[in-house]
Amino acid sequence: MSRWHKAALVGNPNAGKSALFNALTGARQKIANYPGVTVEKRAGRMILPNGAPIELTDLPGSYGLQTTSPDEEVTRKVILGELAGEPAPDVLVIVLDASNLEQHLVFAQEVIALGKPTVVALNMIDLAERDGLVLDPHALSNALGVPVIPTVAVRRRGLAELGEAIAQAEGHSGEAPHPRARLDMAERRMEAHAIADGVIISESAKHRLHSRMDDFLLHPWLGPVFLLGLLFVVFQAVFAWAAPLQDGLEGLVGLISDGVKAEMAPGLLRDFITDGVLAGVGAVVVFLPQIIILFFFILVLEATGYMARAAFLMDRMMAGVGLSGRSFIPLLSSFACAVPGIMATRSITDPKDRLTTILIAPLMTCSARLPVYAVIIAAFIPNRPVGLVGLQGLVLFGLYVFGIVGAMVVALILRRSVTKGAASGFIMEMPKYQLPRLRDLGLGLFQRGWIFLRRAGTIILQVNIVLWLLLNFPQAQKGQDQVDASFAGHIANGLAVALKPIGFNRDIALALIPSMMAREVAVSSLATTYAVAAGDEDTTAHQLSDQLKKHWSLPTALAFLAWFVFAPQCISTIAVTRRETNGWKWPAFMLAYLFALAYVFAGITYWSAIALGF
């Protein structure tokens, strides 16, 4: 039995460490936090070929041991055994991207120089060979002085050989300092170039084609134009492709509601099911196709390798507001949800950069805003073409751009005031181009769709049940409006006084309170409110548009959209901000400035629309 008890996967970001970790540990893994820090720890049990178990840890990606970002600092401390409560690993497994070998070898040399038992996993060797890059693992092993095992994590190739190398790694530790310990960074870069040249057997024109693609996609003028056009197509597709699927889901919800009304006698229980559950939750569920389409594009862009290139393109704009391209990936993640976006800021080295990115992440238009935008746009913006594009998709694109511009302006102000500091540098490797794997796309879409439906079946359902109860009790007297007579109506009427100057009515005030749990609850809250107000009439997602047009003016609808561009309508975002900043100071600041922006811009939008005669 091997004497090793712990091993750790180390390497640059995008080396395929997580895929290799999943392949080696399977379901035998857990996620927790490292002692005393907010960085997540992924650990699992791996069975070596000789039957011995070993604990395997997937360390955060790093470019070197002399770093200051939270993720990279944890990696350094774990490798060196300096993290309290975390024993040093017995074996280090360096994961290299075979198609980006020279860049990855810089950090690999630094790790090997520690003299610890080390094995190299030359990962994604199949993709390198597919692109015409043929490497010699034996030559690489001789150059580095440690075992090198070719692996393809997603196809489970080389896993047995890697396990065997880990079990036998004792013979590769050295008592004296490793010869590479004397090299500085410049010398390691030169050595990495020489080693990479020495292990490349052949390189085809196909591999060089990727460089020519980068010449276009990363061009300082053509690249941003392509990125903008790509985003524009995405938001057009969100409306155009989703419409038939939404109609089908809406019809299904309506059919279920009609069935309940046909089988149950009139009364509070029937109203609870149709108005409190189906009207509220159904009004959100029908936007599942739009969520899936949006995530489809995001997953494709990530899988093809374009997302990292978009970050590189945005570095110039980020530098203009005092940030770097490192902030782009967390902000881009925030388009899906601000929570993982804020957590992704751990890779940002400069603490002021990181704090600024956290504070502006909620301004990115997350997927939870999409149902809100979609229902208002569908109700008040005509579905007609503007040239070759649709007006509704154009308005949605404008809302996303409005959020991005707002975030950049806020970042500029913050970097010149409360988070003042010099912009940090930005180094990022470009992952290889590759076609998305259909299985991975399908799994990713299923997971995100399930998360959306689970929120509809838990948070949104629970909030709507509470709201329905507050809307139905006490019961109205004859001739009295039920909403005004209810507990919820009394609360909303009081809040509406403060919101009246920006064009908001009682119904909007009623929707804003529960939507603090999750932004999309605003849609279900409105649906439940109008269902209760309508009595026995249906309030499906389609009829909700009619109710909105009946009770709202166009200036009010536009002000509502402006509010949701800025408002921090999400408790989870505030909670994760508190955790990542270790206190309530910055979450409180975030709440204050976002609500202030929401109120001011909603008011400006409302009165400007009135002045223009809308």
Side-chain angles (χ1 to χ4, degrees):
M1 178 179 292
S2 170
R3 72 176 184 86
W4 304 121
H5 302 291
K6 292 177 67 68
L9 299 178
V10 300
N12 289 178
N14 301 314
K17 288 190 299 83
S18 295
L20 188 58
F21 174 78
N22 291 335
L24 291 170
T25 61
R28 303 180 299 271
Q29 56 181 265
K30 58 184 179 180
I31 299 176
N33 275 16
Y34 282 99
V37 295
T38 59
V39 177
E40 283 185 348
K41 171 185 178 180
R42 299 183 70 213
R45 188 165 62 94
M46 172 188 173
I47 305 299
L48 297 176
N50 60 9
I54 185 171
E55 182 181 331
L56 185 66
T57 302
D58 181 16
L59 294 179
S62 178
Y63 290 104
L65 297 178
Q66 305 301 318
T67 56
T68 57
S69 75
D71 279 359
E72 294 179 325
E73 184 70 11
V74 163
T75 295
R76 185 185 70 83
K77 286 186 175 182
V78 170
I79 290 175
L80 299 178
E82 297 175 351
L83 191 63
E86 187 71 20
D90 301 297
V91 181
L92 298 176
V93 181
I94 304 174
V95 185
L96 304 180
D97 178 356
S99 64
N100 199 8
L101 190 59
E102 182 176 337
Q103 172 65 37
H104 286 225
L105 281 173
V106 177
F107 181 43
Q109 291 180 88
E110 193 173 7
V111 174
I112 292 171
L114 298 174
K116 294 178 176 289
T118 303
V119 176
V120 169
L122 187 59
N123 200 30
M124 297 184 279
I125 192 77
D126 61 328
L127 295 180
E129 292 173 350
R130 179 205 66 184
D131 295 338
L133 185 64
V134 181
L135 305 175
D136 184 350
H138 297 292
L140 182 59
S141 177
N142 292 332
L144 296 176
V146 297
V148 174
I149 310 299
T151 60
V152 181
V154 295
R155 292 182 173 83
R156 305 187 62 82
R157 279 172 46 188
L159 300 190
E161 293 84 353
L162 182 61
E164 187 66 34
I166 293 174
Q168 297 178 0
E170 180 180 7
H172 300 285
S173 60
E175 297 296 332
H178 195 281
R180 296 184 190 279
R182 297 190 298 270
L183 301 180
D184 59 24
M185 180 59 72
E187 290 171 327
R188 286 196 186 100
R189 292 190 180 280
M190 293 175 61
E191 184 71 8
H193 179 75
I195 293 173
D197 278 351
V199 301
I200 295 176
I201 298 175
S202 64
E203 182 178 11
S204 72
K206 185 177 181 181
H207 187 258
R208 292 189 292 271
L209 173 63
H210 290 179
S211 297
R212 291 196 292 271
M213 291 175 64
D214 278 342
D215 289 342
F216 169 72
L217 293 176
L218 300 181
H219 190 277
W221 300 110
L222 297 178
V225 172
F226 178 83
L227 175 60
L228 192 65
L230 185 62
L231 294 176
F232 184 79
V233 169
V234 169
F235 297 124
Q236 287 292 316
V238 165
F239 264 98
W241 296 2
L245 298 173
Q246 281 187 279
D247 291 342
L249 280 176
E250 185 178 345
L252 178 61
V253 173
L255 192 64
I256 296 173
S257 182
D258 291 341
V260 171
K261 290 184 176 181
E263 295 296 326
M264 297 184 65
L268 276 179
L269 180 58
R270 191 183 81 170
D271 291 345
F272 167 74
I273 295 173
T274 58
D275 300 343
V277 176
L278 293 175
V281 175
V284 174
V285 169
V286 296
F287 293 102
L288 177 62
Q290 290 182 319
I291 299 292
I292 293 297
I293 290 171
L294 178 63
F295 274 113
F296 169 78
F297 280 103
I298 291 175
L299 290 173
V300 167
L301 293 178
E302 288 178 344
T304 56
Y306 182 73
M307 201 70 86
R309 288 162 173 84
F312 182 83
L313 287 173
M314 297 299 291
D315 181 53
R316 182 183 298 179
M317 185 178 79
M318 293 291 190
V321 298
L323 297 175
S324 76
R326 284 186 182 270
S327 298
F328 180 72
I329 296 297
L331 294 178
L332 196 62
S333 299
S334 298
F335 279 113
C337 177
V339 171
I342 290 172
M343 293 172 65
T345 62
R346 297 167 185 169
S347 64
I348 300 175
T349 304
D350 184 89
K352 295 294 182 67
D353 272 6
R354 181 172 186 250
L355 178 58
T356 305
T357 307
I358 289 173
L359 293 176
I360 66 173
L363 289 171
M364 298 296 103
T365 302
C366 67
S367 59
R369 285 183 173 104
L370 189 56
V372 180
Y373 289 169
V375 74
I376 302 302
I377 290 172
F380 291 94
I381 305 300
N383 185 17
R384 59 180 175 82
V386 178
L388 298 177
V389 299
L391 179 59
Q392 291 182 333
L394 189 63
V395 171
L396 180 64
F397 177 68
L399 290 169
Y400 274 76
V401 171
F402 194 22
I404 294 170
V405 172
M408 295 301 101
V409 173
V410 170
L412 180 62
I413 295 172
L414 291 176
R415 292 294 280 160
R416 294 186 176 183
S417 55
V418 294
T419 61
K420 189 174 183 179
S424 59
F426 176 52
I427 300 175
M428 183 178 221
E429 63 181 87
M430 295 296 108
K432 65 190 132 318
Y433 291 103
Q434 55 183 308
L435 292 175
R437 299 180 71 230
L438 293 180
R439 181 178 178 276
D440 292 343
L441 278 179
L443 181 60
L445 292 176
F446 172 79
Q447 290 173 338
R448 285 154 179 82
W450 175 245
I451 290 171
F452 178 76
L453 291 176
R454 189 172 60 191
R455 284 165 66 94
T458 54
I459 297 175
I460 296 174
L461 176 61
Q462 293 164 9
V463 169
N464 276 292
I465 289 174
V466 173
L467 179 60
W468 183 87
L469 292 171
L470 292 175
L471 283 166
N472 279 276
F473 296 97
Q475 289 284 296
Q477 301 298 318
K478 186 176 181 179
Q480 187 181 16
D481 180 76
Q482 175 57 46
V483 176
D484 281 332
S486 67
F487 292 121
H490 288 303
I491 297 172
N493 284 329
L495 183 59
V497 175
L499 298 175
K500 186 176 180 181
I502 61 175
F504 286 8
N505 56 28
R506 177 207 64 189
D507 303 331
I508 295 177
L510 195 57
L512 293 182
I513 300 172
S515 65
M516 278 299 297
M517 295 297 297
R519 290 181 174 96
E520 61 267 48
V521 173
V523 174
S524 59
S525 298
L526 289 169
T528 299
T529 299
Y530 288 128
V532 170
D536 287 334
E537 297 179 22
D538 269 342
T539 306
T540 63
H542 180 70
Q543 277 117 20
L544 178 58
S545 293
D546 296 332
Q547 292 280 8
L548 292 174
K549 286 184 280 190
K550 178 181 176 182
H551 292 87
W552 297 18
S553 66
L554 178 57
T556 292
L558 296 176
F560 190 71
L561 290 175
W563 173 278
F564 268 87
V565 169
F566 296 102
Q569 301 289 134
C570 181
I571 289 294
S572 299
T573 301
I574 304 304
V576 76
T577 300
R578 183 205 171 279
R579 189 180 73 173
E580 295 297 316
T581 59
N582 296 314
W584 282 107
K585 173 185 175 182
W586 293 112
F589 175 81
M590 176 189 287
L591 278 170
Y593 100 80
L594 288 175
F595 273 129
L597 285 179
Y599 194 92
V600 169
F601 277 93
I604 291 173
T605 303
Y606 177 71
W607 290 106
S608 298
I610 290 177
L612 294 172
F614 289 161

